[in-house]
C-alpha cells in the first residue's frame, strides 16, 4: 500500500512538472525570452576562449554556430522567435563584437535585423516554394538544407553590404572589393556549417532522449 502511494505521488509530481513546462512554453513571452537567452549564450560560447580558432576575418566566424540557434528559434516560434533573436543580436553586438563599436545606430540595427530575420525570410520562402504548411508538417532534411543555404546567402550578403558601407575595419576601407567577396563566401560557408552542426546536434540529442 505504501509503495502504491509512493508511485501515485511520483506520477503526480511528474504530471505537475510537465504541466509547468507546458504552461511556460505556451506563455506569450517565451519565444522572445528564449530567443534572447539562447542567442546570447550561443554568442558567449562562440566569442569566448575559442574565438581565435573560429575568427576568419573581422565580423566573419568560420563556422558560426549561433546561426543554427536562429534557425531553430524560427522553426519553434516563427516570427516571435526571430524578434527574440533580433533583441539578442542588439545585446551581443555591444557585448562581444568590438568591430561594430564605431558604426552608426542604423548599421548596428541593420546587422541585428540581418542576423534575426534572414532565417525567418528563408523559412517562409522555402515553405512557399515547397508548399510546406505553417506548422512545418512534412519538413524534410532536404528542405532544411534549402532553408540553411537560403538564410546563409541572405545573411552574409546583407552583412557584407553593411560591413563595407560602415567600414567596420581597415579591411573594408583599404582592401579591394575582391576581399569583400572572399569574406562573403567565408561567411556563407560559416553560417551554413554552424547551422547544420547545431541542427544535427539537436536532432541526434532528441533521438537519444526519446529512445
Amino acid at each position: 500500500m505504501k509503495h502504491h502511494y509512493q508511485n501515485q505521488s511520483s506520477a503526480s509530481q511528474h504530471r505537475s512538472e510537465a504541466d509547468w513546462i507546458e504552461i511556460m512554453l505556451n506563455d506569450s513571452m517565451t519565444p522572445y525570452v528564449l530567443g534572447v537567452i539562447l542567442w546570447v549564450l550561443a554568442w558567449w560560447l562562440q566569442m569566448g576562449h575559442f574565438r581565435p580558432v573560429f575568427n576568419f576575418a573581422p565580423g566573419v566566424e568560420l563556422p558560426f554556430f549561433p546561426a543554427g540557434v536562429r534557425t531553430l528559434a524560427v522553426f519553434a516560434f516563427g516570427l516571435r522567435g526571430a524578434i527574440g533573436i533580433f533583441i539578442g543580436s542588439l545585446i551581443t553586438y555591444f557585448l562581444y563584437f568590438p568591430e561594430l563599436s564605431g558604426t552608426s545606430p542604423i548599421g548596428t540595427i541593420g546587422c541585428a535585423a540581418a542576423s534575426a530575420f534572414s532565417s525567418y525570410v528563408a523559412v517562409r520562402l522555402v515553405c512557399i516554394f515547397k508548399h510546406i504548411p505553417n506548422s512545418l508538417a512534412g519538413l524534410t532534411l532536404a528542405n532544411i538544407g534549402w532553408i540553411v543555404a537560403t538564410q546563409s546567402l541572405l545573411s552574409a550578403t546583407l552583412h557584407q553590404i553593411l560591413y563595407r558601407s560602415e567600414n567596420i575595419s581597415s579591411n573594408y576601407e583599404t582592401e579591394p572589393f575582391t576581399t569583400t567577396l572572399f569574406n562573403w563566401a567565408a561567411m556563407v560557408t560559416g553560417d551554413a556549417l554552424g547551422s547544420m552542426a547545431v541542427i544535427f546536434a539537436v536532432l541526434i540529442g532528441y533521438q537519444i532522449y526519446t529512445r
Side-chain angles (χ1 to χ4, degrees):
M1 182 68 72
K2 182 179 180 181
H3 182 68
H4 175 70
Y5 285 135
Q6 285 177 340
N7 287 341
Q8 280 189 329
S9 176
S10 177
S12 176
Q13 183 179 358
H14 286 307
R15 281 196 300 271
S16 63
E17 289 176 355
D19 291 342
W20 180 81
I21 292 173
E22 184 177 356
I23 291 170
M24 184 184 69
L25 290 176
N26 290 330
D27 189 272
S28 61
M29 292 301 296
T30 296
Y32 310 108
V33 174
L34 273 183
V36 172
I37 292 173
L38 293 177
W39 183 257
V40 172
L41 178 61
W43 265 72
W44 176 74
L45 293 171
Q46 174 90 42
M47 307 297 276
H49 296 297
F50 297 107
R51 193 185 188 196
V53 178
F54 298 131
N55 185 243
F56 180 82
V60 181
E61 311 296 319
L62 184 63
F64 183 58
F65 297 108
V69 173
R70 67 188 178 205
T71 310
L72 293 175
V74 173
F75 283 168
F77 302 115
L79 181 59
R80 294 179 300 165
I83 294 172
I85 297 295
F86 172 72
I87 298 169
S89 296
L90 292 174
I91 296 171
T92 52
Y93 280 146
F94 286 108
L95 291 177
Y96 301 113
F97 203 172
E99 289 90 344
L100 285 184
S101 60
T103 61
S104 67
I106 292 176
T108 302
I109 293 171
C111 285
S115 287
F117 298 112
S118 58
S119 294
Y120 179 76
V121 171
V123 170
R124 297 310 312 145
L125 286 174
V126 172
C127 286
I128 290 170
F129 284 110
K130 297 290 185 178
H131 307 291
I132 300 170
N134 291 335
S135 64
L136 300 182
L139 188 69
T140 64
L141 194 58
N143 297 145
I144 292 175
W146 279 110
I147 290 170
V148 167
T150 304
Q151 76 163 26
S152 299
L153 288 166
L154 181 58
S155 177
T157 301
L158 293 173
H159 272 90
Q160 289 301 316
I161 290 172
L162 288 165
Y163 287 175
R164 194 164 182 88
S165 64
E166 294 283 335
N167 292 326
I168 68 165
S169 80
S170 58
N171 287 7
Y172 292 92
E173 281 188 88
T174 59
E175 296 295 329
F177 186 70
T178 51
T179 301
T180 300
L181 290 178
F182 189 62
N183 290 338
W184 171 83
M187 198 170 196
V188 171
T189 304
D191 279 20
L193 290 175
S195 291
M196 293 309 296
V198 172
I199 290 170
F200 274 120
V202 170
L203 289 175
I204 292 170
Y206 178 77
Q207 289 294 326
I208 294 173
Y209 177 76
T210 54
R211 277 182 182 177

